[in-house]
Amino acid sequence: MEGGDASGADDRTGMPLDADRFEAEATALREALLDAQFDLADRSSRAVLILLNGADGAGKGQVLNRLHEWLDPRTIATLAYDINDRCDLRRPPAWRFWCDLPERGRIGIMIGSWYHTMLLHRATGRADEETFHARIAETNRIEDMLVAERVTLLKLWLMLGDNETGGSAINTEAPPGSRNNPLVREWAEIDTKKERNRLVRAARELIQKTADCRTPWHTVRADDPLGRDLAVGRHLLDTLQAAVRWQPPRPGVLPFKPHRVSSTKPVLPTLDLTQTLEKDRYEIELADAQARIFAATQSAAFRNRALIVAFEGNDAAGKGGAIRRLRSALNPVHMRVYPVGAPTDEERARPFLWRFWRHVPLRGHTAIYDRSWYGRVLVERVEGFAAPAVWQRAYGEINDFEAQLTRAGYVLHKFWLAIDQDEQLRRFEARKATPHKRFKITEEDWRNRENWELYAAAVEDMIALTSTEAGPWTLVESNSKRFSRVKILRTLADRLEAEL
Amino acid sequence: MEGGDASGADDRTGMPLDADRFEAEATALREALLDAQFDLADRSSRAVLILLNGADGAGKGQVLNRLHEWLDPRTIATLAYDINDRCDLRRPPAWRFWCDLPERGRIGIMIGSWYHTMLLHRATGRADEETFHARIAETNRIEDMLVAERVTLLKLWLMLGDNETGGSAINTEAPPGSRNNPLVREWAEIDTKKERNRLVRAARELIQKTADCRTPWHTVRADDPLGRDLAVGRHLLDTLQAAVRWQPPRPGVLPFKPHRVSSTKPVLPTLDLTQTLEKDRYEIELADAQARIFAATQSAAFRNRALIVAFEGNDAAGKGGAIRRLRSALNPVHMRVYPVGAPTDEERARPFLWRFWRHVPLRGHTAIYDRSWYGRVLVERVEGFAAPAVWQRAYGEINDFEAQLTRAGYVLHKFWLAIDQDEQLRRFEARKATPHKRFKITEEDWRNRENWELYAAAVEDMIALTSTEAGPWTLVESNSKRFSRVKILRTLADRLEAEL
């Protein structure tokens, strides 16, 4: 079955499929689909995400119902979106798609996916040519990421012939209660001829530019409903079988020596870790920065923005203390702190960014991450939990993730808290000796310490490869806790005031 | 430490605590708190939920920051709510509290809990005396349920003396940036003397009527900040230690014989399972009911309502087929189907209703449950997964859950699909023989069949004890699939039209 021209119609005659032949083929197909679906569920090695697109009236609702008839409904879910939902818009546009990503072993059928938004914006002129192309490029990278993160995509476009976005002339849907209303209405807003033409052109371009070997488009002729359903079923069967056959790549071997991916000059050695701050000054400056952060996050301008702060750093560098000073400057109603530890089973069954997307703050709110998505290029890299191919592609994935946040108006700031090895040893020893700090020091901390050089190399790469204008890293000299905390809070206060 | 008059102030002199004595006591307290916190996290046998209440200016924000200073922030979370959030209001009021329930082993500190809503509504007159008392009674039942479901509650009320809800005269908070603005402002809307007086009276009554031995209130004098913090810390220590000491009750022994809890007359034997429907009539009536459901759920009146349908029934009674006919009558954008199977680890770590609350639909949407919260009084009862004390209290818990939904305007309907033993056997055999239905029949189904009488007794109890006007059960004679499906869809169509 090749993409681009699949059809269930009788190839020899070009005639619509008759009901008897459909029944015969559908029965065999259904059996094969169910087998593949159960194999997928048993292995739980990949998720399958079906993007169901096409003109209103091409039968998206019918196809949906057919797939629910053929498959075991317990491991498939329909994921459909109201593009005009104003409460969903209180987070970045990608949030809703991420939240619904099916877990491995399951199948999601998405209607109104990211393609719908892109096309609608292009057709109505809300996105110009250039923006549209930027979204296409980003979409390609995100889909590559999904595929690499064990989500198999099946991209289907139901074609209604030439007048493919009209919908009023050709309407094969017969939803209950209203023969003129397709069950799924996506394009109701496209009401002028100019918009319709732009939509047709944009759709054609989109299909061409977002189809590569790993994420091809499958167009399906929709004028013959039975043939259409068979064609969709066959594409799905191919997809499920490929997902079941998939084998995880052999885990790569971690280079023993510190290894840099980027070739920039190391920045950690340039930090002046001797900087300090006397107590009186500390208290004044801290209170001042806290007051500025409080005022900024309570301001009217912030209501349509949001703040995301990620804290990373050497063990014992003082993340907890800094976070405490930050959170006490924020209204608790609009703030959450997320300590990032081992993922839950729901998180493990999905792409690694899911657990961060699910907690993306509402506009007007602040999310503080105590460790973050950078774990992939730090601890997972150094400890070998992620294969080199996995953490190496993560830099780009993370940059895209952050770009989606900042494009939505979110203020994103990342801190690396740096101490030297001597200071770390002093703090470890002090923690061992202080009863209420005992808990902060574990075997793992001592083990991480032995990998100091590997971590340093990973940090250098991280900073070189993920420093962006919208998501900057601030390196914080943290041998002095007072100096560190004030630098962090002042940096945030400056940033917020500059952004608002 | 007894509830009701705890204070950290020097009991001998009544004087505020001086800083030195505070430091000494706080250091020891902190150590004990951390030990208890780690024990709690290690055992993961209970969650701890702190409800932090009191007047604006009594220092809720300060106490919050203190607890974050004293405890390991990785297993505590602040849960604070914006009572005027309009997007939250698109679901029943309790939804946001449920979503945030801490998992076992962790501590949540809640500001703006259900008490805040109750008091605000009472003070502003939105709730009359009678409604207020009904809420109090419901709250007591819900808190009993939380305690039984392994959430330990610590209910704290910070007292500011006589003028306890004024807030303007006495303001001990010094949040950054504004000495006159408490970090946590809950009562800004209470602006008339009349409302203030009503709030004081209501708060007093609330504290009296919602304190029992398992969920006592602890009032803490807030005029001395250091003493206040120590008192809160001590209450928390008691709470944590009690939670750590807690032992699960010995599992009860399941009665071998069918056993009824309620003494109503059995209804299952009264069903006429011979009812059937000829094919032509079936198709007409099914399409008609689907059209009515489509029209009702697309209507303007439905936008502020929502539909929740729970399907339970004998194995092979036809839940899947009925659900498919229902979902194909709904706009996929506003509908989700939730098959209820084994809980995930996130679900297992919280009270059993959490997994249903987390998927409560938005207003204007429909949620279809393929098996439901009734599993507790059906499979968990019969298979002995839940001890008798657990499933026996579930009837009341479920009634409260459903009352909260229907009070918010949700239309709730529950179907029991009944077949007899002969019909079940026929269907099991047919499934074994049909390739694409093979998957529907498992060892477990045969095992359940052996417990037919036990299930029948459980169903009788369930129907007798959870049939309410707002959440009715419809028993569906399902030996004929056509009859069953039409009865289900017609019942829903009638119900929707009557409600809208």
Side-chain angles (χ1 to χ4, degrees), chain B residues 98-162:
Chain B
W98 270 95
C99 282
D100 277 345
L101 271 191
E103 64 179 70
R104 286 176 201 136
R106 302 177 71 94
I107 305 169
I109 311 176
M110 204 175 267
I111 290 178
S113 67
W114 45 91
Y115 285 109
H116 184 227
T117 323
M118 285 161 68
L119 285 174
L120 196 66
H121 286 185
R122 183 68 199 110
T124 55
R126 261 190 284 176
D128 60 17
E129 192 77 25
E130 199 180 345
T131 308
F132 184 58
H133 287 151
R135 287 300 151 278
I136 286 178
E138 187 185 67
T139 299
N140 281 326
R141 292 195 304 274
I142 289 173
E143 292 186 357
D144 279 348
M145 184 267 291
L146 289 175
V147 170
E149 288 282 308
R150 303 222 237 145
V151 179
T152 297
L153 292 175
L154 171 57
K155 304 194 295 193
L156 293 169
W157 197 281
L158 307 187
M159 303 291 275
L160 269 183
D162 294 337

Side-chain angles (χ1 to χ4, degrees), chain B residues 81-85 88-89 92-100 117:
Chain B
Y81 304 92
D82 184 349
I83 198 173
N84 295 313
D85 186 310
D88 265 5
L89 298 180
W95 175 75
R96 48 183 155 188
F97 307 125
W98 270 95
C99 282
D100 277 345
T117 323

Side-chain angles (χ1 to χ4, degrees), chain A residues 30-31 34-35 38 64-65 68-69 72 74 78-82 85 87 90 100 176-177 183-184 290-291 294 324 327-334 336 339 344-346 358 435-436 438-439, chain B residues 30-31 34-35 38 64-65 68-69 72 74 78-82 85 87 90 100 176-177 183-184 290-291 294 324 327-334 336 339 344-346 358 435-436 438-439:
Chain A
R30 183 180 186 178
E31 239 181 89
L34 278 168
D35 279 339
F38 289 116
L64 201 57
N65 287 338
H68 276 272
E69 178 194 330
D72 178 2
R74 289 170 298 187
T78 302
L79 314 168
Y81 304 92
D82 183 350
D85 186 310
C87 289
R90 298 205 306 166
D100 277 345
L183 202 52
V184 179
Q290 285 180 320
F294 181 76
R324 209 161 68 222
R327 59 169 294 295
S328 72
L330 296 164
N331 183 333
V333 175
H334 302 134
R336 294 271 164 120
T344 66
D345 61 3
E346 294 186 33
R358 73 192 288 211
H436 70 254
R438 270 188 332 263
F439 74 89
Chain B
R30 181 178 189 180
E31 238 180 87
L34 279 168
D35 279 338
F38 289 116
L64 201 58
N65 287 337
H68 276 272
E69 177 194 329
D72 178 3
R74 288 169 298 186
T78 301
L79 314 167
Y81 304 92
D82 184 349
D85 186 310
C87 288
R90 298 205 308 166
D100 277 345
L183 200 53
V184 179
Q290 285 180 321
F294 182 76
R324 208 160 70 221
R327 58 169 294 297
S328 73
L330 296 165
N331 182 332
V333 175
H334 301 134
R336 293 271 163 118
T344 66
D345 62 5
E346 294 185 33
R358 75 192 287 211
H436 71 255
R438 267 189 334 263
F439 74 89

Side-chain angles (χ1 to χ4, degrees), chain B residues 252-262 373-392 394-395 451 453-463 465:
Chain B
V253 178
L254 187 75
F256 180 75
K257 292 206 171 193
H259 166 79
R260 293 282 313 278
V261 174
S262 93
W373 44 97
Y374 284 99
R376 173 137 292 196
V377 296
L378 295 174
V379 59
E380 289 188 52
R381 164 183 171 169
V382 173
E383 303 293 336
F385 301 150
V390 171
W391 60 259
Q392 283 174 16
Y395 300 107
N451 288 327
E453 291 300 315
L454 292 172
Y455 273 102
V459 172
E460 294 289 354
D461 284 338
M462 171 181 84
I463 289 161
L465 299 172

